[in-house]
Amino acid sequence: MGITRRVLLTSLALSIALTAALLIILASIGGAPPPAEAAGRALASATDGGAVAAAPLRLAAASDENGEGRVRAIAHNLVSPTGRINARAVTALQALGSPVIPFLLPRFYGEDNPTQEAILQVLEAFNEPEVVGHLIDTLATVQSPRMGRRIGAAVHAMGNARCCDQLLELVFHEREAVRLGAAVALRTCLSANSAAALTRQISQDPSAECRLAALESLAAAPDDAAEEALLLAVRDDAADVRLAAVKMLARRRLAGFQDELRRLSRSDSSPQVRKACAQALLALRMHGAAEPEDPEPLESSFNPAADN
């Protein structure tokens, strides 16, 4: 069955290549559709199976010097009529390189739909200043928290620290989706200013999701930059934020938080938080960072009247 499938796929790839070559010949005579667009559509439409030949794009290259025809054709197939993202079209556009950027940037405006997600998947492969700048400008306008988080993650993955000042301004934006994306993106910027802004966000942001994202962005910060944020987070109203803070404390083995961990292990309303605190205290003791708990006072267990 596997061999038959591979044979069929190879035949399909060869057919696409031959079709593209025929289109180029016909175009030279006249009356045929632009070969770059036809080849690009053929490549992007072949979504199933294993290897798909890149020959159609190579064959069309000579007649499409700036690549716009290929970009346009493949971009037309980024999303199926049912809303499914065409992973092969995404990969093909990324492989085309720089001609993709001026074509797709104006078409990305941050709405939460499959087409915008597909365009973002292409753009996040290009760590170029114009791409990063456009993503941050778009982040400032998003309405959807999911898309805000996605844009923030894309900016973070690009690792461009030159955008930190812009992101710091967005941390306190009036819209939750913008603040969330900025908090995620600031993982790229491990400066004193970004740590202070994220700590302030943990203390003030009304959204638990934003506070959690801010805390997670401080995961790689030095202990002295993260301690204030951790102290705020272990006392947060949201159990998810407290749990994340306790787990971060366990990884850092900060002995100065033993009292907080003991308090939470006994009284926190969340069983997951209580369990995480007990595990964190155990880890501290195993590494010699924790002091033994004070024993109960003798008066509480000794009754002199019992001897009489």
Side-chain angles (χ1 to χ4, degrees):
M1 182 67 182
I3 296 176
T4 303
R5 183 179 176 83
R6 284 195 293 272
V7 170
L8 290 172
L9 291 172
T10 302
S11 300
L12 174 62
L14 289 173
S15 298
I16 293 171
L18 291 173
T19 300
L22 179 60
L23 288 171
I24 292 175
I25 294 172
L26 291 174
S28 65
I29 300 173
E37 291 203 19
R41 289 176 189 273
L43 176 67
S45 297
T47 58
D48 297 324
V52 176
L57 290 181
R58 290 198 297 269
L59 289 169
S63 60
D64 185 37
E65 294 181 359
N66 63 5
E68 184 176 342
R70 285 172 290 172
V71 173
R72 185 181 298 276
I74 299 174
H76 181 77
N77 291 277
L78 267 176
V79 178
S80 73
T82 60
R84 180 184 176 188
I85 294 176
N86 183 342
R88 293 192 180 279
V90 170
T91 302
L93 286 172
Q94 291 172 342
L96 289 179
S98 58
V100 167
I101 296 175
F103 182 81
L104 289 183
L105 276 188
R107 291 167 170 80
F108 181 70
Y109 41 86
E111 286 190 1
D112 194 355
N113 61 54
T115 299
Q116 292 291 285
E117 172 63 30
I119 293 175
L120 179 58
Q121 288 182 19
V122 177
L123 290 175
E124 62 188 348
F126 300 98
N127 187 7
E128 300 290 341
E130 60 183 314
V131 176
V132 178
H134 183 80
L135 292 184
I136 295 176
D137 289 343
T138 304
L139 174 60
T141 68
V142 294
Q143 304 285 336
S144 161
R146 193 204 73 83
M147 183 53 75
R149 181 181 285 277
R150 277 289 290 117
I151 296 174
V155 172
H156 163 60
M158 292 175 177
N160 192 326
R162 289 174 292 183
C163 63
C164 293
D165 289 343
Q166 293 173 270
L167 293 171
L168 287 174
E169 296 177 5
L170 298 181
V171 167
F172 307 108
H173 196 276
E174 62 181 2
R175 195 176 303 121
E176 176 185 350
V178 179
R179 300 195 307 272
L180 178 60
V184 172
L186 274 173
R187 295 174 193 179
T188 300
C189 311
L190 297 179
S191 66
N193 287 341
S194 62
L198 291 168
T199 299
R200 182 180 164 194
Q201 187 174 23
I202 293 170
S203 69
Q204 297 180 0
D205 202 300
S207 165
E209 188 175 7
C210 289
R211 298 196 302 273
L212 179 59
L215 179 65
E216 291 172 343
S217 290
L218 285 168
D223 288 347
D224 58 348
E227 281 190 6
E228 183 182 353
L230 286 167
L231 184 59
L232 291 166
V234 295
R235 299 172 180 176
D236 196 276
D237 291 337
D240 287 347
V241 178
R242 298 196 303 275
L243 181 60
V246 169
K247 290 181 177 180
M248 194 181 295
L249 285 171
R251 290 192 297 269
R252 291 174 179 263
R253 298 171 190 164
L254 297 176
F257 283 80
Q258 290 178 80
D259 290 343
E260 284 292 331
L261 291 173
R262 286 173 182 148
R263 178 184 66 79
L264 291 172
S265 69
R266 295 164 179 161
S267 62
D268 196 275
S269 59
S270 166
Q272 291 86 359
V273 173
R274 295 197 300 271
K275 180 179 178 181
C277 286
Q279 292 172 338
L281 287 167
L282 178 61
L284 286 172
R285 285 196 292 270
M286 289 178 63
H287 290 89
E291 300 174 358
E293 294 190 57
D294 293 332
E296 291 292 325
L298 292 176
E299 301 87 71
S300 64
S301 59
F302 175 68
N303 184 1
D307 291 342
N308 296 330

